[in-house]
Amino acid sequence: MKSKLITVALAAAVATGTAAAAVPASAAPATARPTRCHTADLKAGFATGEDATPEMKQTKKQTQAHIWFTNRSKRTCTLSGFAGVDMVGAQKTDGTWSLVRSSAKPVRMTLERGDTVDFGITLLPVAASTPRKEKFVPATFLVTPPDETRHFTLKWPFGGQILKQDGATHPATYLNPVGL
C-alpha cells in the first residue's frame, strides 16, 4: 500500500513540478553505500593452507601465492582494484621489485566485519642453481590495499627464488586484482 501511495504522490508531483516536496522523508529510507576499506580497517597475510602454498621447488611452470585482507573494523567497507605489491629481496643484488598488474578486470568486493578476500600473485620459480643475477629471492612483501598509501609488511614464508624479470614489459611474475 505504501509503495502505491509513493507512486501516486510522485506522479502528481512530476505533473506539477514539485517532486522534492511531494515525497515524505520516511517513505524512502536512505541506505548509505559502504565506503572503501582503509589500511587501518584491514589486516593482511599470506594464505598458507595446503592448496594455497605456492610450489616454489618446481621450476617448470608458474605457481600462485595468495594474500588476504580481512575487514577488522566495525563497519562494512569495499575493496576494488589492485593492491600495490613491492617484493623486497634477500640478496644484496635484489633490491625492491614492484609487481605489475595482470589484464584482469577488477570487481568491487563488499566486506562486512570479519569478511576476508584475497588476490593471487603469479610467480615463476627458478632453481637454486640459477645465477644470482637471474634470480630474485623474496624476503618481505610490502602490500598496500587499493587506493591507500599505507602498507603492510609481510614476511615471505615459502622460500625459493623467482626468475628476475623486474625490468620486463610482460614478466611471468605479476599480480591479480582483489577478489581474483
Side-chain angles (χ1 to χ4, degrees), residues 50-132:
E50 283 184 36
D51 60 343
T53 302
E55 300 175 70
M56 296 304 293
K57 293 186 181 185
Q58 63 80 30
T59 60
K60 296 187 182 344
K61 62 181 181 176
Q62 291 170 305
T63 188
Q64 284 218 329
H66 295 272
I67 295 175
W68 51 262
F69 291 121
T70 297
N71 180 4
R72 65 182 188 146
S73 73
K74 294 180 180 177
R75 66 182 185 89
T76 298
C77 60
T78 63
L79 283 174
S80 180
F82 291 84
V85 177
D86 294 329
M87 295 190 304
V88 179
Q91 304 176 120
K92 289 181 182 179
T93 57
D94 287 339
T96 301
W97 179 355
S98 296
L99 297 184
V100 299
R101 300 171 174 184
S102 73
S103 60
K105 300 291 181 215
V107 295
R108 180 171 306 282
M109 305 299 298
T110 300
L111 301 177
E112 294 184 24
R113 183 180 187 179
D115 284 352
T116 298
V117 67
D118 69 357
F119 64 93
I121 299 175
T122 300
L123 307 160
L124 183 58
V126 294
S129 60
T130 302
R132 178 182 282 207

Side-chain angles (χ1 to χ4, degrees), residues 114-156:
D115 284 352
T116 298
V117 67
D118 69 357
F119 64 93
I121 299 175
T122 300
L123 307 160
L124 183 58
V126 294
S129 60
T130 302
R132 178 182 282 207
K133 65 181 182 176
E134 295 176 24
K135 68 181 175 184
F136 186 95
V137 181
T140 57
F141 279 52
L142 308 178
V143 180
T144 308
D147 300 317
E148 286 292 297
T149 56
R150 291 185 33 230
H151 66 265
F152 296 98
T153 301
L154 305 176
K155 185 176 179 196
W156 176 248

